[in-house]
Amino acid sequence: MSDEKIRQLMMKIVDGVASPEEEKAMAEAIKENEKWRSELQAFIKIKEVTEKMQFKDLPDSYWTGYWSDIYRRTERTFAWILMSIGSIVILGFFAYMALSRFYSDPDISLLLKVGVSMALLGVIIMVISILRERLFARKRERYEKEVER
């Protein structure tokens, strides 16, 4: 019997799902080579130890802080998303109003109007993204003036 097959038998025995024939085959393998007995004993010991393991109970104060932090992060993320979308809509509206003659001119092709709209929307999104990042970085970079980069 191959080593791989013997190890599979060991796992079945350790898990308690081996049939009587498989247990006899394992006993035969142990008779042929004593190393299998020590390996089987090691696996049984590992299973006993892992079954007794438990996670350490954390105090209630930890969970209170954890859930409030999750709520705060979710709330702020949602607020940033809404502020970003609102800013994009407002700036997009002002850009449309500023270019209303451009959009209403029938001599300008639709492709050019779409291209200008996409570029303008991209610029608006980029400006809002950069402003948001700078606001976030300003809170995090407390020693910016003292550190030379």
Side-chain angles (χ1 to χ4, degrees), residues 92-146:
F93 175 76
F94 285 131
Y96 176 79
M97 293 306 288
L99 297 171
S100 62
R101 280 194 220 136
F102 171 77
Y103 287 116
S104 62
D105 188 351
D107 293 335
I108 299 175
S109 73
L110 179 62
L111 184 62
L112 181 61
K113 291 177 186 178
V114 170
V116 168
S117 298
M118 290 173 57
L120 193 56
L121 185 61
V123 167
I124 291 169
I125 292 171
M126 185 67 69
V127 165
I128 291 170
S129 175
I130 291 170
L131 286 174
R132 185 185 61 81
E133 284 181 22
R134 289 309 308 152
L135 285 171
F136 183 77
R138 186 168 31 134
K139 289 193 305 188
R140 300 286 184 243
E141 296 178 10
R142 295 185 178 139
Y143 305 105
E144 185 175 295
K145 294 175 184 158
E146 289 82 9

Side-chain angles (χ1 to χ4, degrees), residues 7-19:
R7 285 195 175 90
Q8 287 176 356
L9 282 175
M10 274 191 231
M11 293 302 107
K12 284 184 172 185
I13 290 170
V14 168
D15 291 337
V17 294
S19 67

Side-chain angles (χ1 to χ4, degrees), residues 1-135:
M1 192 174 345
S2 71
D3 289 356
E4 183 63 31
K5 191 75 164 169
I6 293 172
R7 285 195 175 90
Q8 287 176 356
L9 282 175
M10 274 191 231
M11 293 302 107
K12 284 184 172 185
I13 290 170
V14 168
D15 291 337
V17 294
S19 67
E21 294 83 25
E22 290 172 326
E23 288 180 8
K24 286 180 187 175
M26 188 66 213
E28 290 295 320
I30 290 173
K31 284 181 186 175
E32 291 176 16
N33 191 342
E34 196 61 32
K35 78 173 186 172
W36 298 121
R37 179 185 309 280
S38 61
E39 196 167 328
L40 179 60
Q41 293 300 328
F43 281 127
I44 290 171
K45 182 71 174 168
I46 290 169
K47 181 167 181 164
E48 288 172 1
V49 169
T50 55
E51 283 179 342
K52 292 178 184 176
M53 286 183 175
Q54 294 181 11
F55 286 112
K56 182 180 175 184
D57 288 335
L58 296 171
D60 289 339
S61 61
Y62 172 82
W63 290 111
T64 302
Y66 173 80
W67 288 114
S68 66
D69 190 43
I70 292 292
Y71 175 75
R72 187 174 25 251
R73 285 184 183 179
T74 305
E75 182 180 52
R76 288 182 183 165
T77 301
F78 188 65
W80 275 113
I81 290 170
L82 290 177
M83 285 176 44
S84 297
I85 292 172
S87 300
I88 290 168
V89 169
I90 290 168
L91 291 175
F93 175 76
F94 285 131
Y96 176 79
M97 293 306 288
L99 297 171
S100 62
R101 280 194 220 136
F102 171 77
Y103 287 116
S104 62
D105 188 351
D107 293 335
I108 299 175
S109 73
L110 179 62
L111 184 62
L112 181 61
K113 291 177 186 178
V114 170
V116 168
S117 298
M118 290 173 57
L120 193 56
L121 185 61
V123 167
I124 291 169
I125 292 171
M126 185 67 69
V127 165
I128 291 170
S129 175
I130 291 170
L131 286 174
R132 185 185 61 81
E133 284 181 22
R134 289 309 308 152
L135 285 171

